[in-house]
Each structure stands twice: as C-alpha cells, then as structure tokens.
Amino acid sequence: MLESFFKNFILKYPKTILLLLTPLFLYFGYLSTHLKIDTSSKALLMDNDPDLAFLHKIDKDFYNPDILVITFTPNKPLFSKDALGVIKNLSSRLKKLPNVASITSILNVPLLENKNLPISDLLDKVPTLSSKDVNLTKAKREFLTSPLYKNNLVSSDFKTTAIVLNLKTDKNSSLLPRHIFLQKIRDDLTLFKDSGKLFLGGVDMISDDMIGFVKKDIFVYGISLTLILIVILWIIFKEPIWVAMPLLISILSIITTSALIVMFGWRVTIVSSNYVSLQLIITLSIILHLIVRYRELALFEPKFDQEKLILTTITSKAKPSFYAIATTVVGFASLIFSGIKPVVYLGLMMSLGISVSLIVSFVLFSAIMILVSKKVPKTKKKGNKNFSFMHHIITTVERRQTIVIGSVILLIIFSITALPKLLVENSFINYFKSTTEIYKSLKTIDQKLGGTTPLDVVVTFKKEQSSKPNVSKQDSPSDDSFDDFDSEYTQDANDPEYWFTPSKLNTIEKVHDYLDKNRYIGSVQSLATLLKIGKILKKGKDFDSFDMALVYKKLPEKFKKILLLPYINIKENELRVTTRIIDSDKTLRRNKLIHKINRDLKKIINPKIATFKLGNLMILYNNVLQSLYRSQILTLGITLIALFIMFIMLFKSLKIALIALLSNVIPIGAVFAIMGWGEIPLDMMTITIASISMGIGVDDTIHYIHRFEEEFKKDKNYIKAMRRSHESIGYAMYYTSLAIILGFSILVTSNFIPTIYFGLLTVVVMFIALLCALLLLPILIIRFRPLNIKK
C-alpha cells in the first residue's frame, strides 16, 4: 500500500506535489511568525493547583500590587545630597510612565521614630525624609534598626537602597507593553549610571529577560547549527544535495509544527520552547537514515534506476522509522500526564512535531530525489579503514565485550548511588550567569535587601464576640489625647477599630518572630512589624489593642498602604505575614523548609483561635517541582512498559524486547547519575531529560535491530551481521549523533543556565545512546542470540 502510494502519486507527480506544497509552507511560515513565548509566572504553574486559587485570594483580600524593584548603590554616601537627588530625579521620571501607580523609596516612607511626639500628634503629621525639619541622624538610625526598613528598604551597611515601583493593575490601552515599559525604565537608569550601580529586578523583569535569552539562544543556536551542519554534511557526503536537503526538510518541518502550534493555540514557554531543538534532532535522524540507505543501495545495486532506488529506500525504512517515531511519541507523551502546563505543552508539541517530521521527510525526500539524477557515492579508500571510528567500534564489539559489559555495570552502580543525591529545586537566581544584569540584580536584592522568592502565611481567625478595648487606668496611655477615647468610638462590636484583640496581636507576633529567626528567610513583614515600632515609640511598653485602634483610625491612607493594608483584612478576619526567601543560600532545601514551617506553626497557632495557610510563589513553584518529580517517576515506569510492549510487537521476540529496553534505560541512568553527583538540580527544564533520552535512544535502537535482522538473514552469522550493520546503519547513527552533539554544544554559550544544562545533558544523552546502540546492543544480541532463525 505504501509503495503503491509513493509510486502512483508522489513519484508520478513530483512537480505537482511540490507546487501544491510551496504555498502551504509559505502560509505556515507566515503563521509561525505569530508564535510567542509566554514567560509569565502563571504560565509555569498547574491550573488545578488549589494554592494558585489561594494566591488569587491573597491578591483579592490584601493590598498586594505587582512591583518592580530598582536597587541603587550610590558612589557617594546614601544620605548625601547627590545620592538623594538621584533618587528624587529618577523617581520623578519613572512616575511619569503610564504603568507606574506610585513609587516607594527612602524619600517618602514614614519615619515614625524621627520626632518625639505623642502617637496622636505623630499620626496627624507623619514625617518623611523629604520633610523640611527631619533629623538625618535619627532617620539613618531608624532605617538601620526599624523592623520595617532594615535589610528591606536599605542594606545593613547603609550603602544600598531599594526604589519600589508599584504597578497599575488595570489593563487599559494606555499602559505600555511590558517589554517597551521595561526598556524605558532601563533607558532612565542609563541616565544615572555615573552616579552608582543601578539594577532592575522583579517578576516582570525576570520574565522579559528570559524571553530575550530564549530568543537569542534560538537565533544563535539556529545559525550556528546550520553552519555546523553544512560543514559536517559536506565532509561526510561531499554532495550539495545531501547538504541542502536535510537543512530544507528540517526547517520546513519546524515551520510546519510552529504554524500548527499557533493554530491550536498552544502556549510556548521557556520549557516547551525546546521543541525546536528536539524536533531538529528527530528530523535529522529520519532524513540521514534515508540518505544513507539510498547511497548504500545506489552503491551495491547499480542496476536500480532512480525510481527503484527511492521506492526501495522508502519501503525499507518505513517500518523502522514509523516504529521509532511511535515509540518516541510514547516517550514524550509521558510528559502530558505531569499536569504542569509548560511540560504538558512540550509533550504535545513534540508528539505533533516528530509526526510532522516523519511525513515531511518521506514526502519531500521522494519528491525531490525523483527530479534529480541518480546519486552514486564514490567508494571509500580501503587504506583508511583501520583508522575509522566505526572500525574501532566493530573491533571493540568483537574483542572487548567483557570491558564493555563491566563498564555498563559500573555505570549502573554509579547511577543507582546517585539517585539519593538528586535535588528537586527551583532557584531563579541560579538560572542566570553571574555576568548578567539580571543575576546581579537578583543577588543584590537577595543578599542585601531581604531575599527574592515570596512566601506568605495567612492566619484566619475564628469568629469571636468582639468588645470595646477594656483599658484600665494603670494600662492606659499617659497622653491626654486618649482621655476621650470612649466618646470617639461607638459601642458597636462590629466596628473595625474593635477588631484588634489581644489574642490576634499575640498570635501574629509569635508567627512573625518564629519566621524572623529562620536562617533561610530574609525580610519578614506583618502587623507585628507595626507592633514592634509602636513598642519603640512607647519607650518599651507594649503597643496594645487600644493603640492599634487609634492607628487604624487616624493613619493617612498613603501610609496605610505601607503599614496596614498589605497585612490586614478585617472583613475576612485575616492577618498576613509576608516573607522573602534567601534564594542564593546553597543549603536551602525548599520542600523541607515548607514542611518545617507548616509543622512548627501548628504548634505556635492555637487551633481554637485560628487556622493558617502558606501561599505565594514559593509554594506554587515547589508544588510544580514535586508534582513533576512524582509524575515523572510514575510515568517513566508506564513508558518503559509501553515501550516494552511495542518492542515485542515490532520484533516479535521477548529476548530482543528486553535487550532493546535495557539499551534505552542506560542513557537515562547515566544522565541522572551526572545530575546527582554533579549536584545539578531537577527543575522544570532538566527533569524532562528522561523523556528526551528515551526518545533519542529508541530511534537508534529500532533502526539498528531492524537492520541487524535483515543482515542476519543473509548468512545467519551474528558477527558478520554485526559488521555489516555497523558499516551501513551504523554510519547513519554516527553522522546524526555527531551533527547533533556539535550543534548542541553551542548552547553552552547561553546566558540562561537551564539552557546550558539542557544542551550539555542532551550531548551526554546523544553520546551514551550512540555507544549503547553500537556497543552494548550488538554485544547483548551476539551473547544471547535472540534471533529465531536456524543456522
């Protein structure tokens, strides 16, 4: 049926086929230009994660604007006229940008300890650094000692400060697109570069920079790999058509897949953007197998005309290519069950892409080749045989089987002992090279300004009968302004002023103090921060419910957004503690930290009074990694079973199926061994390597075994069949692996560390998969003699 289709359709009307396909590919090319990379934080999360819904609730219940942070380390002292002038002028320029709602800096935050005033008078006119009569000495002391500002708005050495841009949340048309907005900020920062070190940080900046890095990597990788492939293919084949055709088919396959992704509305993220490089591997493998088979037939079957050569090539490679693609789809399909959007999309894109590659490769190869003259390769000089790579591989299989098997056993032991060392971690600061601006920005914020990854604790209090604060004469404030407090408030127990009960304040202080003592947590902010400042203002006396009621009533709205609204929701009976994790601490184990905090807070918070829940990005990204790790362990087992069944269906031999499966497990184990002993963390980029290595290894295994069976039928001699297989299909496997290994080595030049790891691990997978297919696989076949053909 397949032969009839190609003979009566593709080979009979090649010009018509190419003429019809040309506008289709042009249209796909146009669609592919609309492909966009989504690097928003939500694009990396699980849709069905209840903690994502909880984050939305936090955003709704508390004042929690999106922010960008500018770190400023001036050349002169922070309180110098020049440094303060830079902060003022820069803030003035940034405030004009339509995306900025307000700016928080040392110039406009409340200085509650600067004046020795009664609380009521202080609240009527809260001083800031911009006030005319501010005491700079006291201001500096407050910035360095106040729990509100130390290691948060200013560094402990008083050399670095933060300028916080609170962003507008409305999505009206007047807002600038994110990339343009960030570029304008960077342009403004450039104007003040001579005044000190200025770095931009924040979630939006991380997302935008990652897009830039990924786009640059794709461009650099594409250009570099193209040049490398041209050189390698020319060295191997020395024919223009064998250089142009693989490149053309690879490009058209990727363009077609990209267009279909746009049509299906699938989102491309930093994880799924790897479909381009992965599809290139599969496409090159398919087309090089076709080329090598065609050249082999042209050399050994001189009587075949061009049509016969093409038909024989297509029919002989159709079955192994189909099963190779089918089993590769099974490998990538395991990613779909992760439940994590970017990984699911990678699985879908790869399943689609490699199917497209199979169809495009076979159709275009046939249609193009029938239009050109017969290409007979020149015979190789026999004098070079003993120096060839393949000759050494053949010799090793024949004479050094014990060494190979021993090496494999050591590799298995190496892999097993590395499994306990595997780390499941996600650190944004470690995603970038130390020379990049984004790394410098994140490191400054992380180590000098209280950490980077946000972690919240929301305490929800159970309903209780509130009452007016009962203040005895002994406990009441000495300030005369409190004498008429009773007349200022109604007796209605539902008034917000009566909400601040001692049990709430005591509970939140205990939670705050516990978190503040943890070495992995930097900045800790909550209502307890204000309680601590109030205690300072009251000369060591507790800031009680009575005082909190007054502050809530009289504090200006602009300062409420700093001191109260991010941490209080009276309507929902909630208090919130915000923290930031010190992401650069190499001993940090996020999952363990989260479990410890949950376990300890259960002892601190009285369940009769309140409940609590952890939230924000720290929890969400940890959920993603833990879910992905669990799903990969589960689906990897399912995938191996599915591959084993497919091997049995293809080869109709239990022994061969087991041999093929073992040859594919070794590369996976080797990669995990390198990651475990090399302390390379399993994250959303690297954890997909298992499926990738499965997809790559299966292709070589199927093609080799299929060819071995054909060669074995000729003389029923295992050694001779091995030699002929290596000298035919072995070259196609070698050429493909060499081209991809050199191409992926380009990725080490990236500024994005996950891309570097991805490139290096893929190179390792390709190399080990090739060795397993050319060394371990034939040795196992020779030793166990699984082919059911009698001598």
Side-chain angles (χ1 to χ4, degrees):
M1 181 178 177
L2 181 67
E3 183 178 358
S4 176
F5 171 76
F6 274 87
K7 182 177 181 179
N8 299 322
F9 185 64
I10 303 296
L11 299 183
K12 190 174 182 179
Y13 307 106
K15 292 182 180 179
T16 304
I17 297 297
L18 294 176
L19 190 62
L20 292 174
L21 288 177
T22 298
L24 182 62
F25 284 131
L26 289 174
Y27 176 65
F28 283 159
Y30 167 75
L31 282 182
S32 65
T33 61
H34 292 78
L35 192 71
K36 295 182 179 180
I37 300 175
D38 184 358
T39 58
S40 64
S41 58
K42 294 181 180 179
L44 303 177
L45 305 176
M46 297 183 292
D47 283 325
N48 59 348
D49 189 349
D51 286 309
L52 179 59
F54 184 61
L55 178 59
H56 294 324
K57 186 177 187 302
I58 291 175
D59 291 337
K60 179 182 177 182
D61 291 351
F62 300 94
Y63 178 71
N64 191 39
D66 293 333
I67 64 171
L68 288 172
V69 179
I70 296 171
T71 65
F72 177 42
T73 306
N75 296 328
K76 296 183 178 181
L78 188 56
F79 269 8
S80 67
K81 184 178 180 180
D82 289 343
L84 295 177
V86 169
I87 297 174
K88 180 180 179 181
N89 294 332
L90 178 58
S91 299
S92 178
R93 292 184 65 89
L94 295 173
K95 185 65 175 69
K96 296 177 182 178
L97 296 175
N99 300 50
V100 178
S102 62
I103 294 178
T104 303
S105 72
I106 59 173
L107 294 179
N108 60 8
V109 293
L111 297 177
L112 302 177
E113 302 174 37
N114 204 263
K115 305 291 183 181
N116 294 320
L117 296 174
I119 294 178
S120 59
D121 293 343
L122 179 64
L123 295 177
D124 288 333
K125 189 178 180 180
V126 180
T128 68
L129 198 60
S130 300
S131 303
K132 293 182 179 180
D133 56 348
V134 69
N135 186 313
L136 293 180
T137 302
K138 288 185 177 181
K140 180 178 180 180
R141 183 172 66 244
E142 182 171 353
F143 279 123
L144 286 173
T145 60
S146 170
L148 187 61
Y149 305 130
K150 66 176 182 178
N151 293 321
N152 185 26
L153 194 63
V154 298
S155 60
S156 59
D157 59 7
F158 207 63
K159 292 181 179 180
T160 302
T161 186
I163 302 172
V164 181
L165 278 61
N166 302 300
L167 307 181
K168 293 179 181 178
T169 56
D170 56 323
K171 302 298 181 181
N172 60 64
S173 58
S174 64
L175 298 184
L176 296 173
R178 182 179 65 184
H179 181 72
I180 296 176
F181 170 54
L182 293 173
Q183 188 55 53
K184 286 188 175 294
I185 294 176
R186 288 187 165 111
D187 291 341
D188 285 341
L189 296 183
T190 303
L191 298 175
F192 300 92
K193 64 180 181 179
D194 294 333
S195 301
K197 296 178 181 178
L198 287 156
F199 296 118
L200 177 63
V203 174
D204 281 351
M205 187 272 299
I206 294 174
S207 299
D208 191 71
D209 278 12
M210 283 197 295
I211 286 180
F213 288 143
V214 170
K215 286 183 176 179
K216 181 182 177 183
D217 289 342
I218 292 175
F219 176 77
V220 172
Y221 173 76
I223 297 297
S224 302
L225 183 57
T226 300
L227 295 175
I228 289 173
L229 286 177
I230 290 173
V231 173
I232 292 176
L233 292 174
W234 181 259
I235 292 174
I236 294 172
F237 300 120
K238 294 181 175 60
E239 283 276 359
I241 191 170
W242 303 136
V243 175
M245 185 187 295
L247 293 176
L248 176 65
I249 292 176
S250 297
I251 292 171
L252 292 178
S253 297
I254 293 171
I255 286 176
T256 301
T257 302
S258 300
L260 293 174
I261 289 171
V262 173
M263 293 172 66
F264 293 153
W266 295 344
R267 284 186 292 178
V268 179
T269 66
I270 58 171
V271 177
S272 55
S273 64
N274 287 321
Y275 83 89
V276 175
S277 52
L278 294 174
Q279 186 179 359
L280 182 60
I281 294 175
I282 305 300
T283 309
L284 280 175
S285 175
I286 295 171
I287 191 63
L288 287 181
H289 278 295
L290 291 175
I291 292 173
V292 170
R293 181 58 173 162
Y294 172 90
R295 285 164 54 87
E296 179 188 356
L297 289 171
L299 184 63
F300 294 108
E301 301 291 346
K303 295 181 180 180
F304 283 9
D305 60 13
Q306 184 73 324
E307 181 177 324
K308 181 68 173 177
L309 282 174
I310 296 170
L311 280 176
T312 307
T313 299
I314 293 298
T315 54
S316 64
K317 300 307 296 183
K319 184 177 179 181
S321 294
F322 171 77
Y323 273 96
I325 293 301
T327 49
T328 303
V329 168
V330 170
F332 282 109
S334 67
L335 300 176
I336 297 174
F337 300 101
S338 68
I340 301 164
K341 288 183 289 187
V343 180
V344 168
Y345 282 130
L346 177 60
L348 290 172
M349 290 172 189
M350 284 310 304
S351 299
L352 172 67
I354 58 183
S355 301
V356 167
S357 295
L358 179 66
I359 297 170
V360 172
S361 296
F362 271 68
V363 170
L364 290 186
F365 175 84
S366 303
I368 293 173
M369 288 306 298
I370 197 64
L371 295 176
V372 300
S373 60
K374 184 177 176 181
K375 302 294 179 183
V376 181
K378 297 178 181 179
T379 57
K380 298 179 181 180
K381 295 181 180 180
K382 295 183 178 181
N384 293 328
K385 183 178 180 182
N386 291 332
F387 301 98
S388 69
F389 170 80
M390 200 58 64
H391 173 75
H392 291 296
I393 291 292
I394 293 172
T395 302
T396 301
V397 173
E398 290 183 11
R399 303 176 184 176
R400 302 181 181 91
Q401 294 185 7
T402 304
I403 295 176
V404 173
I405 293 175
S407 300
V408 170
I409 293 173
L410 289 176
L411 183 57
I412 293 173
I413 296 173
F414 184 62
S415 302
I416 293 173
T417 55
L419 289 178
K421 298 181 179 293
L422 286 174
L423 300 176
V424 184
E425 292 292 340
N426 183 78
S427 172
F428 281 120
I429 193 171
N430 293 324
Y431 272 7
F432 308 98
K433 283 185 177 179
S434 59
T435 54
T436 59
E437 178 191 351
I438 187 172
Y439 177 87
K440 295 175 182 177
S441 170
L442 291 174
K443 186 177 181 180
T444 301
I445 296 171
D446 198 63
Q447 297 184 352
K448 293 187 176 182
L449 298 174
T452 49
T453 308
L455 172 66
D456 292 348
V457 178
V458 177
V459 181
T460 303
F461 292 90
K462 297 182 178 180
K463 292 183 179 180
E464 58 182 343
Q465 187 64 37
S466 300
S467 61
K468 180 182 67 176
N470 184 18
V471 184
S472 65
K473 292 182 180 181
Q474 181 180 358
D475 295 328
S476 69
S478 59
D479 182 26
D480 293 339
S481 64
F482 290 97
D483 291 344
D484 297 327
F485 182 76
D486 282 348
S487 63
E488 291 185 34
Y489 297 100
T490 175
Q491 297 296 321
D492 188 351
N494 293 323
D495 277 356
E497 290 81 358
Y498 299 117
W499 185 81
F500 300 96
T501 61
S503 64
K504 291 187 179 76
L505 301 186
N506 290 336
T507 298
I508 206 65
E509 274 198 291
K510 289 178 182 178
V511 173
H512 182 110
D513 292 342
Y514 162 75
L515 295 171
D516 200 32
K517 293 176 183 177
N518 194 295
R519 61 167 290 187
Y520 299 114
I521 297 178
S523 171
V524 180
Q525 299 293 317
S526 70
L527 183 65
T529 306
L530 184 58
L531 297 178
K532 296 178 186 299
I533 296 173
K535 189 173 184 179
I536 296 173
L537 296 177
K538 292 184 66 176
K539 312 298 182 183
K541 294 182 179 180
D542 287 339
F543 202 69
D544 55 24
S545 306
F546 191 91
D547 301 315
M548 275 306 311
L550 178 65
V551 170
Y552 187 87
K553 182 74 175 179
K554 302 189 70 174
L555 189 68
E557 187 68 20
K558 66 177 181 179
F559 294 134
K560 271 188 179 182
K561 289 183 177 180
I562 298 175
L563 299 174
L564 290 174
L565 297 185
Y567 316 112
I568 298 173
N569 188 315
I570 293 176
K571 183 179 179 181
E572 298 293 333
N573 221 25
E574 294 174 339
L575 287 174
R576 173 190 180 209
V577 183
T578 67
T579 75
R580 281 182 278 132
I581 304 301
I582 302 176
D583 218 30
S584 58
D585 192 321
K586 293 183 179 180
T587 64
L588 173 62
R589 299 293 176 262
R590 290 158 184 80
N591 196 47
K592 289 183 179 180
L593 175 62
I594 291 170
H595 282 298
K596 176 176 172 54
I597 292 174
N598 270 313
R599 185 172 60 250
D600 293 345
L601 288 183
K602 287 180 181 179
K603 301 176 183 177
I604 294 172
I605 298 174
N606 187 343
K608 295 180 180 179
I609 296 176
T611 60
F612 73 93
K613 185 173 178 62
L614 274 59
N616 220 316
L617 292 182
M618 172 74 168
I619 301 297
L620 294 176
Y621 285 129
N622 186 69
N623 289 352
V624 167
L625 290 179
Q626 298 304 321
S627 174
L628 184 55
Y629 180 69
R630 290 191 298 269
S631 68
Q632 282 297 284
I633 296 300
L634 174 64
T635 56
L636 190 58
I638 296 174
T639 302
L640 290 174
I641 294 172
L643 289 179
F644 180 61
I645 293 172
M646 295 189 73
F647 285 149
I648 292 177
M649 292 172 58
L650 175 60
F651 301 119
K652 297 178 174 58
S653 168
L654 181 62
K655 281 187 178 181
I656 294 180
L658 288 172
I659 289 171
L661 192 65
L662 178 60
S663 297
N664 282 277
V665 170
I666 300 301
I668 299 175
V671 168
F672 283 148
I674 292 171
M675 295 180 69
W677 289 104
E679 298 183 349
I680 300 174
L682 282 167
D683 57 23
M684 280 182 287
M685 294 286 284
T686 57
I687 204 167
T688 59
I689 288 293
S691 296
I692 293 168
S693 62
M694 184 75 70
I696 294 170
V698 162
D699 183 76
D700 285 345
T701 301
I702 290 178
H703 279 288
Y704 185 86
I705 294 177
H706 186 268
R707 186 53 183 266
F708 194 100
E709 286 183 328
E710 289 185 353
E711 297 298 334
F712 184 74
K713 293 176 183 178
K714 295 178 180 179
D715 54 16
K716 304 172 185 61
N717 186 298
Y718 279 94
I719 296 298
K720 291 180 179 179
M722 179 272 296
R723 290 175 184 168
R724 291 192 295 269
S725 298
H726 275 62
E727 291 173 352
S728 53
I729 194 69
Y731 281 110
M733 295 158 59
Y734 170 64
Y735 296 154
T736 302
S737 300
L738 177 62
I740 298 303
I741 286 173
L742 291 176
F744 268 76
S745 63
I746 300 297
L747 295 181
V748 299
T749 61
S750 173
N751 285 318
F752 195 42
I753 300 299
T755 298
I756 295 175
Y757 284 150
F758 180 78
L760 290 176
L761 292 174
T762 303
V763 166
V764 171
V765 166
M766 289 295 299
F767 182 69
I768 295 178
L770 178 66
L771 291 183
C772 284
L774 294 180
L775 289 175
L776 179 62
L777 184 58
I779 287 175
L780 293 176
I781 293 174
I782 292 170
R783 288 210 165 198
F784 290 98
R785 300 178 177 270
L787 299 181
N788 297 320
I789 302 175
K790 296 181 181 180
K791 285 190 176 183

